[in-house]
Amino acid sequence: MAGYVSDAVIRRLPGYYRHLRELEKQGVVQISSQEMGKQMNLTPSQIRQDINCFGGFGRQGYGYKVSELKEHIGEILGLNNQHRMIIVGVGSIGLAVCNYANFSREGFETVALFDANPDKVGKLINGVPVLSDQELEKYISEHDVDIAVIAVPDVAAQAVMDRVAACGIKAVWNFAPIDLKYDSSMIVVNVHLSDSLQILSYKMAHADD
């Protein structure tokens, strides 16, 4: 079992998993850290160090078996488990999350959506029912829910966080463009879309530095 693993290593794991999945689709059976490094713009030593955080999966001079390493990384990421998600907010972001087919294939099943707009309540989106936000607590108390996706405007986000936390939800995927307050026992991942564009803008502005 891995001990302490840095956030930087954890952030790279999905990239390894995605890359190995594509190699597997292409019929690649074996790959070295040198080849992976060239393809992913990482150094071979960085790849070896990251993977060795979780045990030795390759052989010196032989490399990694693509399918085996993909499975190992999938297990490390918990992708062999089923995760039941609810989405609070049926705007453009909530709809995009609900309609993204890869989530369900990777074990993240959206089981219900919630919205304050009565015109949206009662509809099915990609087979998932839209419920009134007033039913949030009742639904969570009666169903197994692992992850709450917050996709509401920033002015409503903290109230939603407080509500799902009070219901015992421990994992939140936050798309609201603010940093939320929450108990240290919770696991929260923030997705600030404007941050990514600002980083892109910075890199463009300083490309010739």
Side-chain angles (χ1 to χ4, degrees), residues 66-208:
V66 169
S67 60
E68 286 186 6
L69 185 57
K70 188 205 80 172
E71 290 302 315
H72 283 307
I73 292 177
E75 290 174 7
I76 292 164
L77 289 168
L79 300 182
N80 53 335
N81 302 321
Q82 286 295 119
H83 304 282
R84 292 166 60 84
M85 301 194 307
I86 58 170
I87 300 173
V88 185
V90 189
S92 56
I93 292 175
L95 288 172
V97 173
C98 183
N99 286 320
Y100 188 59
N102 277 354
F103 290 150
S104 60
R105 286 197 289 267
E106 293 178 355
F108 298 90
E109 179 189 6
T110 300
V111 294
L113 302 112
F114 297 87
D115 202 273
N117 186 343
D119 293 336
K120 296 179 180 179
V121 173
K123 294 183 177 179
L124 285 177
I125 297 175
N126 199 21
V128 181
V130 181
L131 308 176
S132 167
D133 70 319
Q134 298 302 310
E135 299 180 64
L136 181 62
E137 286 83 358
K138 182 175 186 292
Y139 184 93
I140 294 173
S141 71
E142 295 176 351
H143 299 81
D144 291 329
V145 177
D146 304 306
I147 301 170
V149 179
I150 297 179
V152 298
D154 55 356
V155 295
Q158 186 62 57
V160 172
M161 169 63 86
D162 294 342
R163 290 174 68 187
V164 299
C167 291
I169 298 295
K170 293 298 184 184
V172 170
W173 200 14
N174 173 42
F175 283 87
I178 61 169
D179 293 322
L180 301 174
K181 298 176 182 178
Y182 53 90
D183 187 85
S184 60
S185 65
M186 297 185 70
I187 302 167
V188 178
V189 172
N190 297 299
V191 182
H192 297 329
L193 299 179
S194 61
D195 287 8
S196 297
L197 280 176
Q198 290 165 10
I199 291 168
L200 180 63
S201 176
Y202 171 86
K203 290 184 176 181
M204 293 169 64
H206 297 273
D208 297 326

Side-chain angles (χ1 to χ4, degrees), residues 52-72:
N52 286 342
C53 287
F54 304 94
F57 300 125
R59 288 166 50 190
Q60 189 171 4
Y62 186 68
Y64 303 103
K65 287 187 178 179
V66 169
S67 60
E68 286 186 6
L69 185 57
K70 188 205 80 172
E71 290 302 315
H72 283 307

